[in-house]
Amino acid sequence: MSYLVQLRSFLDVYRAGSISKAANQLGISQPAVSSHVHSLESLTGSVLFTRRSHGVIPTAEADELARHIGHNLDAIEAKLTLMRGRRKKISGVVTIIGPAELLWAKSAKLFSPVVHNELRFKLLTGDRKKYMQA
């Protein structure tokens, strides 16, 4: 059985020092993260955190587990993210026609989120009718 979800939850709780903060980072409910940690504690037969009113304190077993899995789990997630990113790449040419002043003022803000894709931009200044007739 795979315990990757439980290990990810454990590592986020370990790093955040709080089950609710880890749940926020993971985008899942606090009871789900708590359940993941309990499941891992059952599997290992060790208490991994001492619960406090404002967070958790890792035990020596938690320190050891985090030290052994942290880098590897982060590397796996980074590789999966990279692979997902490659699949979603878009390419082509985007033609934008508009007044020169507007394009100059807005282009950096408009294009910065998509520059990493394989898109080429063609900026044409002037009236759209001029380019549509050609």
Side-chain angles (χ1 to χ4, degrees):
M1 180 173 204
S2 176
Y3 290 95
L4 288 175
V5 172
Q6 289 88 347
L7 290 170
R8 175 80 271 163
S9 293
F10 157 76
L11 199 54
D12 280 14
V13 170
Y14 182 85
R15 289 174 175 166
S18 162
I19 290 175
S20 54
K21 285 180 187 176
N24 257 352
Q25 292 169 355
L26 291 166
I28 60 177
S29 69
Q30 181 273 334
V33 173
S34 188
S35 176
H36 294 165
V37 171
H38 284 297
S39 174
L40 206 52
E41 287 177 329
S42 294
L43 176 72
T44 61
S46 302
V47 174
L48 298 172
F49 298 102
T50 303
R51 277 84 173 160
R52 299 281 186 224
S53 59
H54 297 289
V56 295
I57 298 171
T59 63
E61 290 85 358
D63 289 335
E64 183 180 357
L65 182 60
R67 193 172 40 253
H68 286 293
I69 68 161
H71 177 73
N72 293 325
L73 193 56
D74 291 341
I76 289 167
E77 286 193 354
K79 181 61 178 177
L80 289 174
T81 299
L82 180 65
M83 290 175 73
R84 272 193 307 265
R86 284 187 195 143
R87 185 184 58 180
K88 292 181 180 178
K89 277 195 176 176
I90 54 175
S91 62
V93 178
V94 175
T95 303
I96 299 174
I97 303 169
E101 298 82 13
L102 178 67
L103 293 176
W104 181 83
K106 300 292 183 180
S107 61
K109 190 173 186 175
L110 288 172
F111 304 143
S112 61
V114 293
V115 155
H116 65 279
N117 288 310
E118 294 178 14
L119 288 174
R120 292 180 295 143
F121 292 92
K122 185 176 184 180
L123 298 177
L124 304 173
T125 60
D127 189 346
R128 180 174 72 147
K129 292 178 188 173
K130 176 176 137 181
Y131 295 104
M132 294 303 198
Q133 293 172 0

